[in-house]
Amino acid sequence: MRLVLVRHGQSEGNARNVIQGHLDFGLTELGLKQAQATAQRLAGQRFDRILTSPLLRATATAELIAAATGAPVEPEPALREYALGHVAGLTFEEVAARHPEILQAYRKGIRPSFPGEEGRDVFLARVRSVLDRWMESGESILAVVHGGVVSAMCYLVLGLDDRRPGIFRVANCSITEFVNQRGRVVIQRHNDTCHLQGILTMEDVG
């Protein structure tokens, strides 16, 4: 049994370098190419089902993978990106200008607070709920998610302090895989981008 996480392809928000959170952007032309390459990489692999964040950039990626694997797609609200509150829709430069304390926190290696954000405890709890349900199911599941969700899952599995940001980089359409080894979750691979040669993008500002 395994849990394979795929980050969505490059979105319009990624291309504009804006903070997305729950804002609903579609894929760029490059994002579609990344999703198609990922679908080809995963074609023929067996999954009991595909879970997807309900945000468009994830569902569009999931549909292409589903066509290649034959697995059914199910929306999973718990896999939405972290809700970043009032900074959603801004570029990082705009955030730095309006909220210099956020930039200062990043420079100190501290996860900042964002005005109106969801709350890290709430976010981690909903991500953990998906991890726990997968462990109980005994299924092989693929989930199309967001960079923040992939990172949160890695923090949870490794028991790391979530207050330290930036440990895990997550490229668009990269693959991260967890396996259950005798009741213990192990990271089998992280940020696998072998299928994205020439079309790799790393934009990830939420």
Side-chain angles (χ1 to χ4, degrees), residues 18-25 55 57 80-85 88-89 146 205-206:
V18 302
I19 294 172
Q20 298 177 108
H22 283 188
L23 296 182
D24 209 3
F25 292 96
L55 296 176
R57 54 193 184 272
R80 284 186 183 223
E81 181 60 288
Y82 185 62
L84 285 155
H146 306 271
V205 288

Side-chain angles (χ1 to χ4, degrees), residues 39-129:
Q40 291 173 5
R41 173 92 184 268
L42 296 168
Q45 297 190 33
R46 178 191 169 278
F47 297 100
D48 294 297
R49 52 199 172 116
I50 296 174
L51 302 179
T52 182
S53 158
L55 296 176
L56 182 57
R57 54 193 184 272
T59 59
T61 303
E63 287 167 2
L64 287 170
I65 296 173
T69 62
V73 177
E74 301 175 18
E76 175 49 75
L79 293 175
R80 284 186 183 223
E81 181 60 288
Y82 185 62
L84 285 155
H86 304 321
V87 302
L90 303 178
T91 65
F92 195 77
E93 290 75 16
E94 290 170 332
V95 173
R98 300 182 193 187
H99 303 281
E101 71 281 1
I102 291 176
L103 183 60
Q104 292 169 7
Y106 276 124
R107 286 174 174 167
K108 294 177 181 178
I110 302 170
R111 190 179 298 279
S113 297
F114 297 94
E117 68 184 331
E118 175 179 3
R120 296 300 299 183
D121 289 345
V122 174
F123 176 57
L124 290 173
R126 63 177 168 88
V127 172
R128 184 185 292 279
S129 73

Side-chain angles (χ1 to χ4, degrees), residues 105-205:
Y106 276 124
R107 286 174 174 167
K108 294 177 181 178
I110 302 170
R111 190 179 298 279
S113 297
F114 297 94
E117 68 184 331
E118 175 179 3
R120 296 300 299 183
D121 289 345
V122 174
F123 176 57
L124 290 173
R126 63 177 168 88
V127 172
R128 184 185 292 279
S129 73
V130 177
L131 183 64
D132 290 344
R133 278 181 276 148
W134 162 66
M135 287 287 289
E136 293 171 0
S137 73
E139 294 178 314
S140 290
I141 294 175
L142 185 141
V144 182
V145 297
H146 306 271
V149 174
V150 176
S151 295
M153 196 79 75
C154 291
Y155 276 98
L156 289 168
V157 167
L158 295 177
L160 297 176
D161 186 351
D162 181 65
R163 292 172 295 181
R164 296 177 57 204
I167 295 177
F168 301 99
R169 297 195 72 193
V170 187
N172 292 110
C173 274
S174 63
I175 298 172
T176 296
E177 182 174 354
F178 304 91
V179 295
N180 183 346
Q181 293 187 353
R182 300 178 182 177
R184 179 186 177 194
V185 182
V186 175
I187 300 177
Q188 188 84 348
R189 53 178 164 161
H190 170 64
N191 198 37
D192 179 355
T193 58
C194 294
H195 53 294
L196 300 171
Q197 294 185 17
I199 55 172
L200 179 66
T201 54
M202 290 292 299
E203 301 98 335
D204 191 9
V205 288

